[in-house]
Amino acid sequence: MSPPVAPPGWSRWLVPPAALSVHLSIGQAYAWSVFKPPLESALDLSGTQSALPFQLGIVMLGLSAAFGGTLVERNGPRWAMTVALICFSSGFLLSALGAATEQYWLIVLGYGFVGGIGLGIGYISPVSTLIKWFPDRPGMATGIAIMGFGGGALIASPWSAQMLESFGSDNEGIALAFLVHGLTYAVFMTLGVLLVRVPRTEKPVEGAPSILAGPQVSARQAVRTPQFWCLWVVLCMNVTAGIGILEKAAPMITDFFKETSTPVSVTAAAGFVALLSAANMAGRIGWSSTSDLIGRKNIYRVYLGVGAAMYALIALFGDSSKPLFILCALVILSFYGGGFATIPAYLKDLFGTYQVGAIHGRLLTAWSTAGVLGPLIVNWIADRQEEAGRSGAALYGLSFVIMIGLLVVGFVANELVRPVDPRHHIPAPGDASSPASTDASSDASSDALSEKETADVQRQQPESA
């Protein structure tokens, strides 16, 4: 499937809705908790077992994004969105079969493994295309799409709950809900497949820089640079700090104010979780758009530096002021979402638009690491503190200090980011020389790679209008 080229007069503002149709769909992953209690009751599962499809899905998201990123760049956004559609919808259909036949392994295979591949390919599918369409505002463009992933659960959670109420929460009702999800998301994601286009010219908007302007670095070369690994640390630390609160939000706010005169009810705790989701979604578009104005390094200074200050305020004064606790948590979660949305534009600034989607996919392994690290730190320390006889805010003091330390590590890593050394650049189309070939450490295979990359750039260069 060749990438569809936009005809003359095509509006670039049709591409963000195409990306949103995919991201709003796969963002359903954040609503998996709605299915946990019914599955535990219908199939006699433990809490750990019912979490397995979601956990495997997130692992497959990172792996498929990392290993499939180059294929996404090579085959284009329509191919990638089609693969995401097939895998994500098929995952629900397999899960429906598993629920109907009471074969839980089919749900794990369908939602976790097959659907997880759809999550990863779908997540990175529009990134490089949006950056090429919006070279003047890449942060805003990627923020619009990735905002959808954060906001997908706001649609999926009440929708799924309503279906389970209507169909029943036994295995047959769960199967029917999975079936409706699979078919509905297939139709919705098809809109993205039909709408998406790649730009026809190097300058899709008058006055904007060329999409081929600046240094261009391949995915294989990018992972050999210190800049890539600095950004890996930056993303991992930022996500770890955010997910540390997000994963344990309801019990955390309850514990903080349990021993005060204003305890938090279960309903209020659920409302706090909803507020955090809204901050997560708003940060993805708000902070990423701000990065177009103040620069990517500066916005990550805000995420990491101010984030550390927010954690310090919660640790010192959070249990004495409920508004302060909520405000600081909302700011941290907005930085969590903003970090996801800004990182593709940061990669574009450093490595160019050529294979930026593949580079982004490899960087998302930082997300997989943080997804384990953040909850592990908060939950393990809270359990140990409770065993030691502590309660309330004391359960989280040490973990917050650790989060502050991690954010400082991320801040330092961000300060170490410098422009990529020219030896990693690939030659511009028609340029016979390759800076990479002059590197003393380059061997014959590296030279051959540079020639292939040159051919790929020439092949992928948009035709003139």
Side-chain angles (χ1 to χ4, degrees):
M1 184 181 293
S2 59
V5 179
W10 182 267
S11 172
R12 64 176 180 165
W13 291 102
L14 292 174
V15 181
L20 270 175
S21 72
V22 173
H23 273 243
L24 281 171
S25 298
I26 63 176
Q28 185 280 336
Y30 279 154
W32 173 254
S33 60
V34 173
F35 288 101
K36 279 172 60 65
L39 282 170
E40 292 167 14
S41 176
L43 302 182
D44 193 24
L45 303 174
S46 67
T48 301
Q49 288 174 319
S50 67
L52 185 57
F54 172 77
Q55 291 173 322
L56 180 58
I58 295 300
V59 170
M60 292 308 301
L61 185 158
L63 292 177
S64 59
F67 291 104
T70 303
L71 287 174
V72 172
E73 288 292 333
R74 183 178 303 159
N75 296 312
R78 176 167 287 179
W79 175 88
M81 289 181 177
T82 302
V83 170
L85 183 160
I86 293 171
C87 291
F88 191 65
S89 297
S90 296
F92 270 111
L93 299 183
L94 278 172
S95 298
L97 179 62
T101 59
E102 299 187 16
Q103 298 293 318
Y104 186 61
W105 68 270
L106 273 175
I107 299 177
V108 176
L109 174 67
Y111 191 93
F113 185 80
V114 178
I117 294 173
L119 286 177
I121 300 299
Y123 190 88
I124 64 174
S125 62
V127 168
S128 64
T129 303
L130 284 165
I131 288 175
K132 289 171 183 175
W133 273 110
F134 293 86
D136 51 336
R137 286 182 281 180
M140 180 211 69
T142 55
I144 290 174
I146 294 176
M147 174 187 69
F149 190 83
L154 295 179
I155 299 172
S157 291
W159 181 44
S160 300
Q162 182 60 49
M163 275 195 286
L164 290 171
E165 184 177 335
S166 301
F167 301 150
S169 57
D170 58 359
N171 65 302
E172 292 182 358
I174 296 169
L176 191 54
F178 281 152
L179 177 64
V180 172
H181 274 77
L183 296 178
T184 303
Y185 283 133
V187 172
F188 195 57
M189 293 171 76
T190 299
L191 297 176
V193 173
L194 297 176
L195 273 179
V196 73
R197 297 288 190 279
V198 295
R200 183 178 181 84
T201 67
E202 290 183 34
K203 292 188 176 183
V205 60
E206 187 176 351
S210 167
I211 60 176
L212 296 178
Q216 304 292 327
V217 182
S218 71
R220 182 179 296 187
Q221 285 293 324
V223 298
R224 300 174 181 176
T225 66
Q227 287 82 357
F228 176 88
W229 294 107
C230 282
L231 289 188
W232 193 97
V233 172
V234 166
L235 182 64
C236 186
M237 298 302 100
N238 190 61
V239 173
T240 300
I243 209 168
I245 285 184
L246 184 63
E247 190 271 341
K248 204 173 173 64
M252 183 181 292
I253 193 172
T254 302
D255 288 336
F256 253 78
F257 298 98
K258 181 185 297 183
E259 300 172 357
T260 68
S261 59
T262 56
V264 176
S265 66
V266 174
T267 302
F272 175 63
V273 174
L275 279 176
L276 292 182
S277 297
N280 176 13
M281 184 173 65
R284 293 176 185 239
I285 181 63
W287 292 120
S288 60
S289 297
T290 304
S291 76
D292 289 332
L293 302 175
I294 68 174
R296 251 58 80 173
K297 176 174 279 193
N298 285 333
I299 199 68
Y300 272 96
R301 285 169 173 153
V302 173
Y303 296 158
L304 300 161
V306 178
M310 295 295 104
Y311 259 115
L313 286 174
I314 293 178
L316 294 172
F317 310 110
D319 59 342
S320 62
S321 173
K322 195 178 295 182
L324 177 66
F325 179 94
I326 294 172
L327 177 62
C328 291
L330 291 176
V331 171
I332 291 171
L333 261 293
S334 75
F335 292 161
Y336 167 81
F340 277 122
T342 310
I343 204 69
Y346 208 162
L347 292 172
K348 176 259 180 188
D349 293 346
L350 291 170
F351 302 110
T353 56
Y354 175 66
Q355 294 199 337
V356 67
I359 299 169
H360 182 221
R362 286 159 170 78
L363 196 77
L364 288 180
T365 54
W367 182 5
S368 299
T369 302
V372 174
L373 190 60
L376 179 64
I377 292 171
V378 175
N379 288 295
W380 186 85
I381 291 177
D383 290 343
R384 300 291 80 76
Q385 297 287 5
E386 189 171 10
E387 290 174 2
R390 296 181 177 87
S391 61
L395 297 174
Y396 305 98
L398 178 58
S399 60
F400 285 178
V401 171
I402 293 174
M403 293 299 180
I404 293 170
L406 293 178
L407 287 169
V408 171
V409 170
F411 190 94
V412 172
N414 183 53
E415 293 303 308
L416 294 176
V417 173
R418 298 289 185 272
V420 176
D421 192 291
R423 74 176 185 272
H424 296 291
H425 298 174
I426 63 172
D431 185 358
S433 63
S434 170
S437 65
T438 64
D439 184 4
S441 65
S442 296
D443 54 18
S445 63
S446 296
D447 293 336
L449 175 64
S450 294
E451 293 174 6
K452 180 181 182 301
E453 288 166 341
T454 303
D456 286 345
V457 174
Q458 291 171 329
R459 175 175 58 81
Q460 293 185 13
Q461 184 179 10
E463 56 188 270
S464 58

